């Protein structure tokens, strides 16, 4: 599903290359509370995010991002 919103990182944030826990890990952890552009939600519960300067997509498991209060 296409989405355009911003969420924040949390203690469980791990950034993956594909929407799978078995995928390559791009970033194993990061600071809590960083804003992340969410561009979609996959059918298996991953957020599709854009965190790189070249605009390439990566993925965060559903519990890895928190809505901005």
């Amino acid at each position: 599903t296409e989405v355009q919103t911003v969420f924040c990182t949390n203690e469980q944030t791990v950034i993956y290359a594909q929407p799978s826990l078995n995928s390559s890990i791009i970033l194993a952890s990061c600071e809590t509370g960083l804003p992340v552009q969410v561009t979609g939600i996959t059918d298996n519960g991953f957020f599709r995010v854009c965190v790189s300067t070249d605009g390439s997509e990566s993925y965060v498991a559903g519990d890895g991002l928190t809505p901005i209060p």
Side-chain angles (χ1 to χ4, degrees):
T1 305
E2 296 296 318
V3 175
Q4 289 298 321
T5 191
V6 177
F7 277 30
C8 287
T9 57
N10 61 36
E11 304 80 32
Q12 286 98 353
T13 302
V14 176
I15 300 175
Y16 296 91
Q18 298 296 320
S20 168
L21 297 176
N22 297 322
S23 173
S24 299
I25 294 175
I26 295 173
L27 186 63
S29 66
C30 62
E31 183 179 337
T32 299
L34 297 174
V36 175
Q37 177 68 45
V38 177
T39 60
I41 302 172
T42 66
D43 59 356
N44 64 345
F46 277 75
F47 292 106
R48 184 176 67 222
V49 298
C50 181
V51 294
S52 65
T53 56
D54 68 2
S56 61
E57 297 175 342
S58 46
Y59 298 87
V60 176
D63 63 351
L65 295 177
T66 305
I68 294 176

